[in-house]
Amino acid sequence: NYIYYVGGICGKNVGGTVKNSYNTAVVTGYRFVGGVCGHNSGTVKDCYNKGNITSRATYVGGICGHSTSSAYSDIVMRCYSTGRIPSADGYAGGSNGGLGGYRIKDCYNTGTINGNGSWTGGVCGGTSVGEIIGCYNEGSVNSGENENVGGITGSLYKNCNIYNCYNNGNVT
């Protein structure tokens, strides 16, 4: 019931590289749940997820539940997710649930994202430090009656940037 760091490929990536990998299965956990990595502080590139990702709490993403670092790098790049996120209590995103100190580059999402809490986005639920570059969303993004909901990201804080991104999905 309270399983943290759950991923279709890797539960927790600390400084490693996940490349040319994919998940097509349902992935279920409590917190830090991702189609490829539950928590990432390494590199994830050229990966995809087609499975539905379910979390009972926060930080759930089609590719990574959460990515963090103290230095900018192209941490999640050329990845996509078509799987649904049927429910999450916050920080839910098509690529990443949360982003702190990294870049999401050239990624996209076509799956429906349903967040029951704040910070829900088509690409990233919430960005505290980082950049989202060349990404897009075509899936619906829904967050009930909560705040911080966006086609690309639910929140973008000081020193964060979005470049060359677009959204075609409905945002509710």
Side-chain angles (χ1 to χ4, degrees):
N1 288 335
Y2 296 99
I3 306 298
Y4 286 51
Y5 310 114
V6 180
I9 302 297
C10 178
K12 190 173 186 179
N13 178 18
V14 182
T17 298
V18 179
K19 185 176 178 180
N20 297 324
S21 301
Y22 66 91
N23 173 63
T24 60
V26 172
V27 179
T28 303
Y30 181 74
R31 193 169 189 195
F32 301 107
V33 183
V36 176
C37 286
H39 178 76
N40 178 45
S41 60
T43 300
V44 175
K45 57 180 158 180
D46 303 314
C47 296
Y48 67 87
N49 170 63
K50 291 187 176 184
N52 293 343
I53 311 302
T54 303
S55 170
R56 290 187 51 232
T58 58
Y59 295 108
V60 57
I63 302 299
C64 297
H66 188 260
S67 290
T68 186
S69 174
S70 59
Y72 286 113
S73 64
D74 292 333
I75 192 65
V76 179
M77 58 189 301
R78 296 185 308 267
C79 296
Y80 70 89
S81 179
T82 61
R84 291 178 45 244
I85 297 177
S87 176
D89 284 343
Y91 289 101
S95 177
N96 278 52
L99 179 69
Y102 278 119
R103 286 185 180 110
I104 300 174
K105 186 174 180 182
D106 301 326
C107 295
Y108 69 89
N109 172 64
T110 61
T112 298
I113 310 298
N114 290 317
N116 294 326
S118 295
W119 305 286
T120 304
V123 174
C124 185
T127 307
S128 60
V129 178
E131 296 179 329
I132 302 172
I133 303 168
C135 297
Y136 67 92
N137 174 61
E138 293 190 345
S140 295
V141 181
N142 310 298
S143 192
E145 296 180 18
N146 293 292
E147 57 190 22
N148 301 319
V149 183
I152 299 298
T153 186
S155 64
L156 186 71
Y157 288 95
K158 181 179 173 182
N159 299 322
C160 298
N161 301 295
I162 296 175
Y163 300 111
N164 303 318
C165 295
Y166 70 89
N167 173 61
N168 280 334
N170 294 327
V171 179
T172 307

